[in-house]
Amino acid sequence: MYGTATAAASTGADQASRSAGTGARITAVTHLDARTLDMTVQSRAMRSFVKVRVILPKSWKIERGRTFPVLYMLHGGADDYTSWTRETDVEALAENSEALVVMPDGGRYGYYSDWYAGRPRWETFHTVELVQLMERRFRANSSRAAIGLSMGGFGALNYAARHPGMFRYVASMSSYVDLNEPSVRLLLDLGSTADGVDLDDVWGDPKENVDIWQAHNPAARPDAFRGTKVHLSSGNGTPGPLDEGRPLSALLVGAAAEKTLPASLQKFAESLRSAGVDVSTNLYEPGTHSWPYWERELHSIWPTVMEELT
């Protein structure tokens, strides 16, 4: 299985450039079905092995001399690279897609950043090593989009701001966007503490290293999004029909996590428009911090994502 998958992944790529410029390399590929595969990447930046799930374009095996655009899909906190295919029908959505759909692991609370403490280095892995591997092994081209939910939505915005021009389109679902907001600081503290993460290790001390915090704060960098189309969405925290059958505890957490987002997203959208950024919003009612709403949003934006990529 490994030999067949590796040969297939290399077809049409530069056979002499199987590793990223940093030395990161794909060490294993497992096909889950005809077009979905999991690969293991030995990352120099991470000094560890990282999992990535990939859905191949419809014509990938047929048009061997062609390159393809890439949609990066980033998962939320306390989750992993399997979340999008586990919780949504993204594989069905991508059935006729001519884009690579790439779903990398980002750590349970990795915050899509190179940590101040030195490791992990998620940003380098995602924006350098993985991008190069997709180009060299899977015939990816430079047309890219990124979408994410919750922590992954922050990650998509963070990467777009820190790497201007890297993405044509970026969508953030139910994500915090301003690290300066007290409610966001509290949310991050609670989430990270529960997983044993010290935020000082991520971006340094909030007072002594304010420059690092602001360099990773999407709301502080609206001008950096020029040239990238941005979509922001969230619910208002009120439970609705899509929440039927959920445990009360999960419902309460989902409601609380979503409640403060609309006002923050609206403020961010206004600052983006003032900076000349093409931005759209979907602030829906009702809606909680949960997968049924994110799957519905994925269906809503999918045609636009594919249009922007091609």
Side-chain angles (χ1 to χ4, degrees):
M1 175 68 76
Y2 168 64
T4 302
T6 301
S10 301
T11 302
D14 182 356
Q15 299 293 317
S17 301
R18 294 189 174 186
S19 298
T22 64
R25 63 192 184 94
I26 299 170
T27 59
V29 178
T30 301
H31 281 276
L32 305 180
D33 58 38
R35 288 174 53 192
T36 305
L37 58 88
D38 282 350
M39 65 182 189
T40 302
V41 177
Q42 184 177 15
S43 166
R44 288 279 184 90
M46 295 290 293
R47 292 184 183 174
S48 65
F49 293 86
V50 184
K51 290 284 192 178
V52 182
R53 181 158 291 179
V54 179
I55 302 175
L56 297 172
K58 180 180 179 180
S59 301
W60 193 82
K61 294 180 181 178
I62 301 172
E63 301 184 34
R64 297 179 181 271
R66 178 180 175 185
T67 63
F68 297 88
V70 190
L71 169 61
Y72 291 92
M73 301 183 70
L74 308 182
H75 67 77
D79 218 323
D80 62 24
Y81 72 103
T82 67
S83 65
W84 285 102
T85 54
R86 185 185 70 237
E87 302 289 349
T88 77
D89 59 349
V90 63
E91 290 171 288
L93 276 176
E95 183 177 0
N96 294 311
S97 168
E98 293 295 3
L100 286 152
V101 179
V102 181
M103 297 160 281
D105 204 81
R108 285 178 57 84
Y109 289 99
Y111 295 107
Y112 296 97
S113 300
D114 285 358
W115 284 25
Y116 177 76
R119 289 288 186 282
R121 297 176 62 201
W122 288 110
E123 181 177 353
T124 298
F125 172 70
H126 290 136
T127 65
V128 178
E129 292 181 333
L130 184 57
V131 167
Q132 290 181 3
L133 288 171
M134 295 310 301
E135 291 173 349
R136 298 178 183 189
R137 295 290 300 274
F138 288 89
R139 307 198 306 272
N141 59 37
S142 61
S143 178
R144 309 180 193 94
I147 66 177
L149 59 90
S150 196
M151 184 184 76
F154 165 79
L157 294 171
N158 183 43
Y159 287 169
R162 291 177 58 78
H163 302 272
M166 185 172 185
F167 301 101
R168 292 187 178 186
Y169 179 95
V170 59
S172 174
M173 305 178 192
S174 299
S175 172
Y176 45 89
V177 296
D178 189 353
L179 297 180
N180 292 332
E181 291 186 357
S183 61
V184 173
R185 293 288 180 96
L186 177 61
L187 175 67
L188 293 180
D189 283 336
L190 291 174
S192 60
T193 299
D195 205 54
V197 172
D198 186 342
L199 287 177
D200 286 8
D201 289 340
V202 182
W203 298 306
D205 181 86
K207 294 182 179 179
E208 295 180 6
N209 305 107
V210 63
D211 56 331
I212 297 177
W213 279 74
Q214 295 313 300
H216 292 84
N217 186 4
R221 311 185 66 196
D223 293 347
F225 290 91
R226 288 175 180 161
T228 299
K229 291 190 176 182
V230 178
H231 180 74
L232 307 170
S233 65
S234 81
N236 67 344
T238 302
L242 295 183
D243 292 293
E244 291 183 4
R246 296 181 65 206
L248 179 60
S249 58
L251 193 61
L252 292 175
V253 171
E258 202 81 354
K259 186 175 181 180
T260 63
L261 294 180
S264 181
L265 293 181
Q266 189 61 52
K267 181 180 178 181
F268 182 42
E270 291 171 0
S271 70
L272 289 173
R273 293 189 182 101
S274 296
V277 178
D278 186 349
V279 58
S280 58
T281 60
N282 182 22
L283 306 178
Y284 46 86
E285 299 181 9
T288 61
H289 204 74
S290 56
W291 277 104
Y293 297 97
W294 298 328
E295 182 177 48
R296 186 181 67 183
E297 188 69 10
L298 180 63
H299 275 255
S300 177
I301 67 174
W302 188 265
T304 301
V305 176
M306 293 299 109
E307 182 180 347
E308 293 298 329
L309 280 172
T310 57

